[in-house]
Amino acid sequence: MKGKLSNDLGTIVIDPEVVATYAGTVAVECFGIVGMAAMGMKDGIVHLLKRENLKRGIQVLISEDNHISLDFHVIVSYGVNIPTVTDNLISNVKYKVEEFTGMPIDKIRVYIDGVRIID
């Protein structure tokens, strides 16, 4: 469902893909996050997504009352503290997406789909 915000001048409609793209960009800027992950349906292997496909690693749900829920599938760096990295991810995404869209975020779930060694 698309988010709708109304003001005196009219209605603003925000597509979930826009939210996913922005949230993905914010997520990959966080320390310890290598990138977004996409699962191959045929082989079950996790693939690291390129910058232009970040939204494939994020599921966005917008409720009728314009509250957002986000599911992230990420790959983290080897050796990082996963709870610290995910807390940082959640707080950054929550702040920046709420500021960007003007809609509150109810829930953010982070799924760690892989670990990569960064040289």
Side-chain angles (χ1 to χ4, degrees):
M1 176 176 197
K2 295 182 180 184
K4 291 184 181 181
L5 303 170
S6 297
N7 61 22
D8 296 340
L9 301 173
T11 302
I12 301 166
V13 179
I14 302 174
D15 193 277
E17 285 192 17
V18 173
V19 176
T21 301
Y22 185 74
T25 304
V26 171
V28 295
E29 293 174 355
C30 293
F31 173 78
I33 302 293
V34 175
M36 305 307 295
M39 199 100 151
M41 297 311 262
K42 293 189 308 185
D43 50 14
I45 296 174
V46 175
H47 299 285
L48 182 64
L49 295 172
K50 296 181 181 177
R51 269 224 185 266
E52 56 271 5
N53 293 326
L54 292 177
K55 64 186 174 194
R56 285 186 44 215
I58 303 170
Q59 180 181 10
V60 178
L61 295 172
I62 302 175
S63 66
E64 289 185 24
D65 57 349
N66 290 324
H67 288 243
I68 301 172
S69 292
L70 299 168
D71 291 348
F72 285 88
H73 292 268
V74 298
I75 297 173
V76 297
S77 298
Y78 176 79
V80 298
N81 184 309
I82 291 176
T84 302
V85 169
T86 55
D87 287 345
N88 182 38
L89 170 72
I90 290 168
S91 65
N92 283 346
V93 168
K94 182 172 175 41
Y95 174 75
K96 289 185 178 180
V97 171
E98 284 180 346
E99 181 182 3
F100 178 68
T101 63
M103 296 185 286
I105 294 181
D106 282 344
K107 189 181 292 185
I108 298 176
R109 289 183 290 262
V110 180
Y111 299 93
I112 310 298
D113 287 344
V115 176
R116 292 278 168 101
I117 297 174
I118 304 300
D119 294 332

